[in-house]
Amino acid sequence: MPSGPHSNVPAGVWDKVGRNLHLQRNHPIQIIKSHIYQYFARSHKDMQGMPLFRTYDEFPPVVTTTQNFDDLLVPKDHPGRRPTDTFYVDQAHVLRTHTSAHQSELLRRGENAFLVTADCYRRDEIDASHYPVFHQMEGVRLFAPSELASFTAEAVLEDLKRTLEGLVRSLLGDVPLRWVDAYFPFTHPSLELEAFFHGSWLEVLGSGVIHTDVLKLCDRTDRIGWAFGIGIERIAMVLFDVPDIRLFWTQDKRFLEQFSDGNISNRFKPFSKYPPVYKDITFWCPPGFHENDFCSAVRDIAGDLVERVQVIDEFTHGKTGRQSRCYRITYRSMERSLTNTEIDELQQNVRTHVSQELRYELR
């Protein structure tokens, strides 16, 4: 496990490195990865009738900040570079935050069409659809002038939307979808595709036309193309009707035995719904407070027993301007009932850490 003044990778996250759910047979993440690979193998072929897209799924998760940020035009002051959002191994290396970290390397090799699947890591909020480790698939397609009727960004965008709508429909069928405008430093224009799931719109992929400056850095200015990044957990939640992202990490056979390679028609059958336990904590927010720091501390202490962290009350002192927040922590195991004793101990550990390590003043 990395250590040092510039490392902020907690033990609970580092323990997930090497689990590679996308390589585990019969796992929902691997099932979807294989389906997407097969979809592109069928729908995109080269002049010899062979699959056009090359596939990669064993790149190591530790990458340089150049790979993760600079090659993708991420500004030096971008929030994504901050330790509040990214897990740093040291000053020059991070746990990749997206599969785009391998895009420029492959473009420089001369690759024109490829898919990259990998585990990615981000410090984030805690709820049913967010987890510090997730799996993403990167797709890139470059075109030579002769391969498009019009060598323009508009033509590339139309091919991108047609390709991705076909892909998502092959997985989700008639689930309502919508395109929304987005911003990514390395694509322009950029779009996100959302699916309607459990009463709300859930982002399942980001995409766009590859920025000309990215192609310039890779010495590929003779071509134009598109790129996308698809969140495999998000697709799996919609496809298999999995209500909580933590389930993908369970070792419980009652979950894992519901899935099998090549079968995307199964729907998850809940084996039990254990009751939640709620605990509140209130503190004064220090200067520079970031919610991700607090959430990361809670998850590091409680692990997968924490289901959700949400603000339920805020107060600003009229004279001092200090802000106080009350957070409700929901504890629930996906596999068993929790005891009051263990939750009380976890909550006390959270309070101690917040007070002594994060230096928040409890109320």
Side-chain angles (χ1 to χ4, degrees):
M1 177 177 167
S3 60
H6 300 289
S7 174
N8 65 344
V9 184
V13 169
W14 192 252
D15 286 345
K16 300 292 194 299
V17 173
R19 288 279 298 274
N20 295 331
L21 303 185
H22 61 292
L23 299 178
Q24 294 183 20
R25 285 181 55 82
N26 300 315
H27 194 283
I29 303 301
Q30 186 271 339
I31 293 169
I32 290 178
K33 181 203 76 171
S34 296
H35 176 91
I36 297 175
Y37 281 4
Q38 291 166 12
Y39 174 84
F40 275 94
R42 292 192 306 269
S43 62
H44 291 73
K45 298 182 183 295
D46 62 17
M47 297 295 291
Q48 287 73 44
M50 300 297 292
L52 180 68
F53 281 76
R54 298 189 63 176
T55 60
Y56 301 86
D57 51 21
E58 295 189 3
F59 281 117
V62 177
V63 299
T64 66
T65 53
T66 298
Q67 290 174 289
N68 203 73
F69 300 123
D70 299 317
D71 280 350
L72 299 169
L73 313 180
V74 179
K76 296 294 184 184
D77 60 351
H78 193 279
R81 286 183 179 258
R82 298 171 189 165
T84 54
D85 287 46
T86 294
F87 291 111
Y88 277 81
V89 176
D90 55 40
Q91 278 186 295
H93 297 83
V94 300
L95 290 174
R96 65 180 157 233
T97 62
H98 45 197
T99 45
S100 303
H102 304 289
Q103 182 186 115
S104 294
E105 173 187 352
L106 291 170
L107 290 178
R108 290 188 180 106
R109 289 187 197 175
E111 298 283 8
N112 293 319
F114 54 85
L115 303 168
V116 178
T117 311
D119 45 333
C120 301
Y121 302 78
R122 289 181 195 167
R123 301 181 91 213
D124 216 332
E125 59 196 276
I126 297 177
D127 59 29
S129 62
H130 289 86
Y131 200 78
V133 191
F134 59 97
H135 295 77
Q136 192 177 71
M137 183 184 296
E138 183 84 1
V140 169
R141 173 81 191 275
L142 293 189
F143 298 89
S146 60
E147 294 177 303
L148 287 173
S150 172
F151 196 62
T152 63
E154 290 76 14
V156 173
L157 200 63
E158 285 304 310
D159 185 86
L160 168 70
K161 293 172 72 173
R162 184 169 54 252
T163 299
L164 294 182
E165 286 179 9
L167 167 63
V168 175
R169 288 291 177 209
S170 76
L171 285 160
L172 304 183
D174 294 330
V175 169
L177 302 174
R178 70 177 184 186
W179 289 100
V180 296
D181 290 334
Y183 167 75
F184 306 109
F186 40 93
T187 56
H188 181 73
S190 302
L191 297 171
E192 290 178 341
L193 186 61
E194 298 180 340
F196 198 69
F197 177 63
H198 284 190
S200 61
W201 289 99
L202 183 70
E203 178 202 340
V204 294
L205 64 85
S207 63
V209 178
I210 300 174
H211 201 292
T212 53
D213 287 344
V214 171
L215 296 174
K216 188 180 298 183
L217 285 171
C218 300
D219 196 25
R220 302 301 304 276
T221 54
D222 59 322
R223 292 179 178 250
I224 57 176
W226 49 248
F228 71 85
I230 190 167
I232 300 182
E233 276 86 350
R234 296 288 180 88
I235 289 288
M237 292 178 76
V238 178
L239 175 62
F240 298 123
D241 201 20
V242 176
D244 195 303
I245 197 169
R246 293 175 298 164
L247 277 164
F248 296 117
W249 293 92
T250 186
Q251 298 296 307
D252 196 314
K253 291 183 179 179
R254 292 174 296 177
F255 176 78
L256 296 172
E257 289 180 349
Q258 294 191 36
F259 305 97
S260 59
D261 283 355
N263 187 349
I264 64 170
S265 63
N266 282 359
R267 295 299 177 266
F268 170 63
K269 299 178 179 61
F271 38 83
S272 189
K273 187 69 170 178
Y274 297 99
V277 180
Y278 304 103
K279 295 290 182 179
D280 296 346
I281 182 171
T282 304
F283 52 81
W284 292 104
C285 299
F289 170 78
H290 197 293
E291 188 173 279
N292 285 354
D293 291 331
F294 174 63
C295 288
S296 182
V298 173
R299 197 187 288 278
D300 199 30
I301 292 166
D304 286 350
L305 295 183
V306 59
E307 177 177 89
R308 188 176 184 185
V309 174
Q310 62 185 129
V311 178
I312 60 170
D313 188 46
E314 293 184 85
F315 165 74
T316 301
H317 195 284
K319 293 183 178 180
T320 65
R322 297 178 73 194
Q323 185 184 59
S324 168
R325 286 190 180 185
C326 178
Y327 282 91
R328 176 155 294 165
I329 303 174
T330 303
Y331 297 97
R332 190 203 312 252
S333 171
M334 308 300 293
E335 301 165 1
R336 61 184 178 83
S337 291
L338 302 175
T339 66
N340 288 330
T341 299
E342 67 180 316
I343 294 304
D344 287 343
E345 182 178 348
L346 283 175
Q347 184 69 5
Q348 185 56 51
N349 289 341
V350 169
R351 292 178 63 85
T352 299
H353 184 89
V354 164
S355 175
Q356 297 182 3
E357 301 297 328
L358 298 182
R359 301 294 184 181
Y360 298 171
E361 182 182 343
L362 297 173
R363 294 185 64 197

PDB file of all heavy atoms in Angstrom, residues 208-234:
ATOM      1  N   GLY A 208     -17.889  12.270 -27.005  1.00  0.00           N
ATOM      2  CA  GLY A 208     -17.710  13.478 -27.783  1.00  0.00           C
ATOM      3  C   GLY A 208     -16.715  13.298 -28.904  1.00  0.00           C
ATOM      4  O   GLY A 208     -16.130  12.218 -29.101  1.00  0.00           O
ATOM      5  N   VAL A 209     -16.533  14.361 -29.658  1.00  0.00           N
ATOM      6  CA  VAL A 209     -15.551  14.395 -30.739  1.00  0.00           C
ATOM      7  C   VAL A 209     -14.194  14.713 -30.118  1.00  0.00           C
ATOM      8  O   VAL A 209     -14.057  15.674 -29.354  1.00  0.00           O
ATOM      9  CB  VAL A 209     -15.928  15.463 -31.788  1.00  0.00           C
ATOM     10  CG1 VAL A 209     -14.874  15.535 -32.892  1.00  0.00           C
ATOM     11  CG2 VAL A 209     -17.307  15.163 -32.374  1.00  0.00           C
ATOM     12  N   ILE A 210     -13.187  13.917 -30.420  1.00  0.00           N
ATOM     13  CA  ILE A 210     -11.867  14.093 -29.816  1.00  0.00           C
ATOM     14  C   ILE A 210     -11.314  15.470 -30.157  1.00  0.00           C
ATOM     15  O   ILE A 210     -11.293  15.883 -31.323  1.00  0.00           O
ATOM     16  CB  ILE A 210     -10.889  12.998 -30.281  1.00  0.00           C
ATOM     17  CG1 ILE A 210     -11.415  11.617 -29.880  1.00  0.00           C
ATOM     18  CG2 ILE A 210      -9.506  13.215 -29.677  1.00  0.00           C
ATOM     19  CD1 ILE A 210     -10.599  10.461 -30.420  1.00  0.00           C
ATOM     20  N   HIS A 211     -10.871  16.166 -29.130  1.00  0.00           N
ATOM     21  CA  HIS A 211     -10.361  17.531 -29.295  1.00  0.00           C
ATOM     22  C   HIS A 211      -9.145  17.529 -30.230  1.00  0.00           C
ATOM     23  O   HIS A 211      -8.276  16.660 -30.145  1.00  0.00           O
ATOM     24  CB  HIS A 211      -9.976  18.098 -27.929  1.00  0.00           C
ATOM     25  CG  HIS A 211      -9.910  19.585 -27.878  1.00  0.00           C
ATOM     26  ND1 HIS A 211      -8.942  20.314 -28.555  1.00  0.00           N
ATOM     27  CD2 HIS A 211     -10.685  20.500 -27.226  1.00  0.00           C
ATOM     28  CE1 HIS A 211      -9.129  21.596 -28.319  1.00  0.00           C
ATOM     29  NE2 HIS A 211     -10.172  21.745 -27.524  1.00  0.00           N
ATOM     30  N   THR A 212      -9.100  18.509 -31.111  1.00  0.00           N
ATOM     31  CA  THR A 212      -7.993  18.573 -32.075  1.00  0.00           C
ATOM     32  C   THR A 212      -6.643  18.713 -31.378  1.00  0.00           C
ATOM     33  O   THR A 212      -5.619  18.223 -31.890  1.00  0.00           O
ATOM     34  CB  THR A 212      -8.188  19.760 -33.040  1.00  0.00           C
ATOM     35  OG1 THR A 212      -8.381  20.973 -32.288  1.00  0.00           O
ATOM     36  CG2 THR A 212      -9.400  19.527 -33.932  1.00  0.00           C
ATOM     37  N   ASP A 213      -6.599  19.353 -30.198  1.00  0.00           N
ATOM     38  CA  ASP A 213      -5.332  19.500 -29.473  1.00  0.00           C
ATOM     39  C   ASP A 213      -4.844  18.168 -28.904  1.00  0.00           C
ATOM     40  O   ASP A 213      -3.640  17.956 -28.755  1.00  0.00           O
ATOM     41  CB  ASP A 213      -5.466  20.528 -28.353  1.00  0.00           C
ATOM     42  CG  ASP A 213      -5.536  21.959 -28.877  1.00  0.00           C
ATOM     43  OD1 ASP A 213      -5.178  22.175 -30.053  1.00  0.00           O
ATOM     44  OD2 ASP A 213      -5.951  22.854 -28.126  1.00  0.00           O
ATOM     45  N   VAL A 214      -5.771  17.274 -28.566  1.00  0.00           N
ATOM     46  CA  VAL A 214      -5.375  15.936 -28.135  1.00  0.00           C
ATOM     47  C   VAL A 214      -4.729  15.197 -29.297  1.00  0.00           C
ATOM     48  O   VAL A 214      -3.670  14.555 -29.151  1.00  0.00           O
ATOM     49  CB  VAL A 214      -6.587  15.144 -27.605  1.00  0.00           C
ATOM     50  CG1 VAL A 214      -6.220  13.677 -27.365  1.00  0.00           C
ATOM     51  CG2 VAL A 214      -7.109  15.765 -26.310  1.00  0.00           C
ATOM     52  N   LEU A 215      -5.346  15.285 -30.470  1.00  0.00           N
ATOM     53  CA  LEU A 215      -4.774  14.631 -31.650  1.00  0.00           C
ATOM     54  C   LEU A 215      -3.417  15.227 -32.000  1.00  0.00           C
ATOM     55  O   LEU A 215      -2.501  14.519 -32.439  1.00  0.00           O
ATOM     56  CB  LEU A 215      -5.738  14.758 -32.824  1.00  0.00           C
ATOM     57  CG  LEU A 215      -7.082  14.047 -32.662  1.00  0.00           C
ATOM     58  CD1 LEU A 215      -8.004  14.361 -33.829  1.00  0.00           C
ATOM     59  CD2 LEU A 215      -6.876  12.536 -32.539  1.00  0.00           C
ATOM     60  N   LYS A 216      -3.268  16.519 -31.784  1.00  0.00           N
ATOM     61  CA  LYS A 216      -1.985  17.174 -32.062  1.00  0.00           C
ATOM     62  C   LYS A 216      -0.900  16.641 -31.131  1.00  0.00           C
ATOM     63  O   LYS A 216       0.227  16.363 -31.562  1.00  0.00           O
ATOM     64  CB  LYS A 216      -2.132  18.687 -31.891  1.00  0.00           C
ATOM     65  CG  LYS A 216      -0.919  19.495 -32.328  1.00  0.00           C
ATOM     66  CD  LYS A 216      -1.139  20.986 -32.117  1.00  0.00           C
ATOM     67  CE  LYS A 216      -2.306  21.480 -32.961  1.00  0.00           C
ATOM     68  NZ  LYS A 216      -2.508  22.954 -32.826  1.00  0.00           N
ATOM     69  N   LEU A 217      -1.233  16.465 -29.835  1.00  0.00           N
ATOM     70  CA  LEU A 217      -0.257  15.926 -28.876  1.00  0.00           C
ATOM     71  C   LEU A 217       0.169  14.512 -29.257  1.00  0.00           C
ATOM     72  O   LEU A 217       1.286  14.087 -28.947  1.00  0.00           O
ATOM     73  CB  LEU A 217      -0.855  15.919 -27.470  1.00  0.00           C
ATOM     74  CG  LEU A 217      -0.955  17.264 -26.744  1.00  0.00           C
ATOM     75  CD1 LEU A 217      -1.758  17.117 -25.458  1.00  0.00           C
ATOM     76  CD2 LEU A 217       0.438  17.809 -26.431  1.00  0.00           C
ATOM     77  N   CYS A 218      -0.723  13.783 -29.914  1.00  0.00           N
ATOM     78  CA  CYS A 218      -0.432  12.398 -30.299  1.00  0.00           C
ATOM     79  C   CYS A 218       0.077  12.280 -31.730  1.00  0.00           C
ATOM     80  O   CYS A 218       0.259  11.163 -32.233  1.00  0.00           O
ATOM     81  CB  CYS A 218      -1.693  11.542 -30.137  1.00  0.00           C
ATOM     82  SG  CYS A 218      -2.338  11.495 -28.460  1.00  0.00           S
ATOM     83  N   ASP A 219       0.283  13.416 -32.395  1.00  0.00           N
ATOM     84  CA  ASP A 219       0.749  13.444 -33.776  1.00  0.00           C
ATOM     85  C   ASP A 219      -0.198  12.674 -34.692  1.00  0.00           C
ATOM     86  O   ASP A 219       0.222  11.908 -35.561  1.00  0.00           O
ATOM     87  CB  ASP A 219       2.177  12.875 -33.880  1.00  0.00           C
ATOM     88  CG  ASP A 219       2.844  13.246 -35.197  1.00  0.00           C
ATOM     89  OD1 ASP A 219       2.447  14.272 -35.792  1.00  0.00           O
ATOM     90  OD2 ASP A 219       3.749  12.499 -35.647  1.00  0.00           O
ATOM     91  N   ARG A 220      -1.517  12.904 -34.489  1.00  0.00           N
ATOM     92  CA  ARG A 220      -2.535  12.227 -35.305  1.00  0.00           C
ATOM     93  C   ARG A 220      -3.463  13.246 -35.978  1.00  0.00           C
ATOM     94  O   ARG A 220      -4.666  13.011 -36.128  1.00  0.00           O
ATOM     95  CB  ARG A 220      -3.366  11.262 -34.445  1.00  0.00           C
ATOM     96  CG  ARG A 220      -2.590  10.180 -33.723  1.00  0.00           C
ATOM     97  CD  ARG A 220      -1.803   9.278 -34.678  1.00  0.00           C
ATOM     98  NE  ARG A 220      -2.612   8.661 -35.696  1.00  0.00           N
ATOM     99  CZ  ARG A 220      -3.311   7.517 -35.508  1.00  0.00           C
ATOM    100  NH1 ARG A 220      -3.282   6.894 -34.342  1.00  0.00           N
ATOM    101  NH2 ARG A 220      -4.011   7.005 -36.500  1.00  0.00           N
ATOM    102  N   THR A 221      -2.919  14.367 -36.383  1.00  0.00           N
ATOM    103  CA  THR A 221      -3.747  15.433 -36.951  1.00  0.00           C
ATOM    104  C   THR A 221      -4.284  15.115 -38.349  1.00  0.00           C
ATOM    105  O   THR A 221      -5.077  15.887 -38.897  1.00  0.00           O
ATOM    106  CB  THR A 221      -2.956  16.753 -37.011  1.00  0.00           C
ATOM    107  OG1 THR A 221      -1.725  16.530 -37.710  1.00  0.00           O
ATOM    108  CG2 THR A 221      -2.653  17.253 -35.606  1.00  0.00           C
ATOM    109  N   ASP A 222      -3.871  13.976 -38.904  1.00  0.00           N
ATOM    110  CA  ASP A 222      -4.392  13.580 -40.212  1.00  0.00           C
ATOM    111  C   ASP A 222      -5.770  12.944 -40.097  1.00  0.00           C
ATOM    112  O   ASP A 222      -6.396  12.630 -41.118  1.00  0.00           O
ATOM    113  CB  ASP A 222      -3.438  12.582 -40.869  1.00  0.00           C
ATOM    114  CG  ASP A 222      -3.226  11.324 -40.034  1.00  0.00           C
ATOM    115  OD1 ASP A 222      -3.159  11.449 -38.789  1.00  0.00           O
ATOM    116  OD2 ASP A 222      -3.131  10.229 -40.614  1.00  0.00           O
ATOM    117  N   ARG A 223      -6.272  12.773 -38.872  1.00  0.00           N
ATOM    118  CA  ARG A 223      -7.549  12.099 -38.673  1.00  0.00           C
ATOM    119  C   ARG A 223      -8.429  12.883 -37.699  1.00  0.00           C
ATOM    120  O   ARG A 223      -7.955  13.751 -36.972  1.00  0.00           O
ATOM    121  CB  ARG A 223      -7.342  10.670 -38.132  1.00  0.00           C
ATOM    122  CG  ARG A 223      -6.681   9.749 -39.159  1.00  0.00           C
ATOM    123  CD  ARG A 223      -6.472   8.358 -38.612  1.00  0.00           C
ATOM    124  NE  ARG A 223      -5.889   7.496 -39.631  1.00  0.00           N
ATOM    125  CZ  ARG A 223      -6.541   6.487 -40.225  1.00  0.00           C
ATOM    126  NH1 ARG A 223      -7.800   6.222 -39.905  1.00  0.00           N
ATOM    127  NH2 ARG A 223      -5.938   5.743 -41.135  1.00  0.00           N
ATOM    128  N   ILE A 224      -9.712  12.546 -37.707  1.00  0.00           N
ATOM    129  CA  ILE A 224     -10.640  13.031 -36.696  1.00  0.00           C
ATOM    130  C   ILE A 224     -11.361  11.820 -36.129  1.00  0.00           C
ATOM    131  O   ILE A 224     -11.328  10.731 -36.726  1.00  0.00           O
ATOM    132  CB  ILE A 224     -11.661  14.044 -37.256  1.00  0.00           C
ATOM    133  CG1 ILE A 224     -12.455  13.429 -38.416  1.00  0.00           C
ATOM    134  CG2 ILE A 224     -10.971  15.310 -37.706  1.00  0.00           C
ATOM    135  CD1 ILE A 224     -13.546  14.355 -38.937  1.00  0.00           C
ATOM    136  N   GLY A 225     -12.006  11.984 -34.969  1.00  0.00           N
ATOM    137  CA  GLY A 225     -12.656  10.809 -34.410  1.00  0.00           C
ATOM    138  C   GLY A 225     -13.457  11.099 -33.164  1.00  0.00           C
ATOM    139  O   GLY A 225     -13.565  12.239 -32.710  1.00  0.00           O
ATOM    140  N   TRP A 226     -14.056  10.035 -32.626  1.00  0.00           N
ATOM    141  CA  TRP A 226     -14.850  10.162 -31.416  1.00  0.00           C
ATOM    142  C   TRP A 226     -14.303   9.277 -30.315  1.00  0.00           C
ATOM    143  O   TRP A 226     -13.496   8.370 -30.544  1.00  0.00           O
ATOM    144  CB  TRP A 226     -16.321   9.856 -31.664  1.00  0.00           C
ATOM    145  CG  TRP A 226     -16.722   8.607 -32.403  1.00  0.00           C
ATOM    146  CD1 TRP A 226     -17.284   8.541 -33.637  1.00  0.00           C
ATOM    147  CD2 TRP A 226     -16.674   7.240 -31.935  1.00  0.00           C
ATOM    148  NE1 TRP A 226     -17.579   7.233 -33.988  1.00  0.00           N
ATOM    149  CE2 TRP A 226     -17.232   6.413 -32.950  1.00  0.00           C
ATOM    150  CE3 TRP A 226     -16.236   6.624 -30.763  1.00  0.00           C
ATOM    151  CZ2 TRP A 226     -17.327   5.020 -32.834  1.00  0.00           C
ATOM    152  CZ3 TRP A 226     -16.333   5.247 -30.629  1.00  0.00           C
ATOM    153  CH2 TRP A 226     -16.870   4.457 -31.664  1.00  0.00           C
ATOM    154  N   ALA A 227     -14.766   9.574 -29.098  1.00  0.00           N
ATOM    155  CA  ALA A 227     -14.405   8.770 -27.933  1.00  0.00           C
ATOM    156  C   ALA A 227     -15.593   8.724 -26.986  1.00  0.00           C
ATOM    157  O   ALA A 227     -16.417   9.638 -26.953  1.00  0.00           O
ATOM    158  CB  ALA A 227     -13.185   9.360 -27.221  1.00  0.00           C
ATOM    159  N   PHE A 228     -15.694   7.635 -26.248  1.00  0.00           N
ATOM    160  CA  PHE A 228     -16.726   7.547 -25.212  1.00  0.00           C
ATOM    161  C   PHE A 228     -16.164   6.810 -24.006  1.00  0.00           C
ATOM    162  O   PHE A 228     -15.209   6.046 -24.107  1.00  0.00           O
ATOM    163  CB  PHE A 228     -17.986   6.838 -25.729  1.00  0.00           C
ATOM    164  CG  PHE A 228     -17.831   5.352 -25.953  1.00  0.00           C
ATOM    165  CD1 PHE A 228     -18.000   4.441 -24.911  1.00  0.00           C
ATOM    166  CD2 PHE A 228     -17.528   4.848 -27.217  1.00  0.00           C
ATOM    167  CE1 PHE A 228     -17.873   3.073 -25.118  1.00  0.00           C
ATOM    168  CE2 PHE A 228     -17.392   3.488 -27.439  1.00  0.00           C
ATOM    169  CZ  PHE A 228     -17.567   2.599 -26.387  1.00  0.00           C
ATOM    170  N   GLY A 229     -16.766   7.056 -22.853  1.00  0.00           N
ATOM    171  CA  GLY A 229     -16.466   6.318 -21.646  1.00  0.00           C
ATOM    172  C   GLY A 229     -17.780   5.875 -21.027  1.00  0.00           C
ATOM    173  O   GLY A 229     -18.632   6.707 -20.698  1.00  0.00           O
ATOM    174  N   ILE A 230     -17.962   4.571 -20.900  1.00  0.00           N
ATOM    175  CA  ILE A 230     -19.225   4.040 -20.400  1.00  0.00           C
ATOM    176  C   ILE A 230     -19.024   3.466 -19.005  1.00  0.00           C
ATOM    177  O   ILE A 230     -18.070   2.725 -18.755  1.00  0.00           O
ATOM    178  CB  ILE A 230     -19.792   2.975 -21.372  1.00  0.00           C
ATOM    179  CG1 ILE A 230     -21.212   2.583 -20.997  1.00  0.00           C
ATOM    180  CG2 ILE A 230     -18.893   1.763 -21.468  1.00  0.00           C
ATOM    181  CD1 ILE A 230     -21.929   1.781 -22.078  1.00  0.00           C
ATOM    182  N   GLY A 231     -19.904   3.851 -18.073  1.00  0.00           N
ATOM    183  CA  GLY A 231     -19.836   3.321 -16.710  1.00  0.00           C
ATOM    184  C   GLY A 231     -20.510   1.959 -16.661  1.00  0.00           C
ATOM    185  O   GLY A 231     -21.727   1.852 -16.805  1.00  0.00           O
ATOM    186  N   ILE A 232     -19.727   0.916 -16.458  1.00  0.00           N
ATOM    187  CA  ILE A 232     -20.283  -0.434 -16.547  1.00  0.00           C
ATOM    188  C   ILE A 232     -21.225  -0.723 -15.386  1.00  0.00           C
ATOM    189  O   ILE A 232     -22.273  -1.365 -15.558  1.00  0.00           O
ATOM    190  CB  ILE A 232     -19.154  -1.480 -16.640  1.00  0.00           C
ATOM    191  CG1 ILE A 232     -18.307  -1.216 -17.895  1.00  0.00           C
ATOM    192  CG2 ILE A 232     -19.724  -2.892 -16.689  1.00  0.00           C
ATOM    193  CD1 ILE A 232     -17.194  -2.206 -18.109  1.00  0.00           C
ATOM    194  N   GLU A 233     -20.885  -0.248 -14.174  1.00  0.00           N
ATOM    195  CA  GLU A 233     -21.804  -0.455 -13.054  1.00  0.00           C
ATOM    196  C   GLU A 233     -23.161   0.181 -13.315  1.00  0.00           C
ATOM    197  O   GLU A 233     -24.209  -0.400 -12.981  1.00  0.00           O
ATOM    198  CB  GLU A 233     -21.212   0.116 -11.757  1.00  0.00           C
ATOM    199  CG  GLU A 233     -20.260  -0.811 -11.028  1.00  0.00           C
ATOM    200  CD  GLU A 233     -18.840  -0.724 -11.529  1.00  0.00           C
ATOM    201  OE1 GLU A 233     -18.607  -0.076 -12.586  1.00  0.00           O
ATOM    202  OE2 GLU A 233     -17.944  -1.274 -10.897  1.00  0.00           O
ATOM    203  N   ARG A 234     -23.145   1.392 -13.900  1.00  0.00           N
ATOM    204  CA  ARG A 234     -24.416   2.074 -14.163  1.00  0.00           C
ATOM    205  C   ARG A 234     -25.269   1.257 -15.134  1.00  0.00           C
ATOM    206  O   ARG A 234     -26.481   1.104 -14.954  1.00  0.00           O
ATOM    207  CB  ARG A 234     -24.151   3.468 -14.722  1.00  0.00           C
ATOM    208  CG  ARG A 234     -23.426   4.397 -13.748  1.00  0.00           C
ATOM    209  CD  ARG A 234     -24.332   4.833 -12.614  1.00  0.00           C
ATOM    210  NE  ARG A 234     -23.678   5.710 -11.672  1.00  0.00           N
ATOM    211  CZ  ARG A 234     -23.626   7.037 -11.789  1.00  0.00           C
ATOM    212  NH1 ARG A 234     -24.152   7.634 -12.848  1.00  0.00           N
ATOM    213  NH2 ARG A 234     -23.044   7.751 -10.856  1.00  0.00           N
TER     214      ARG A 234
END
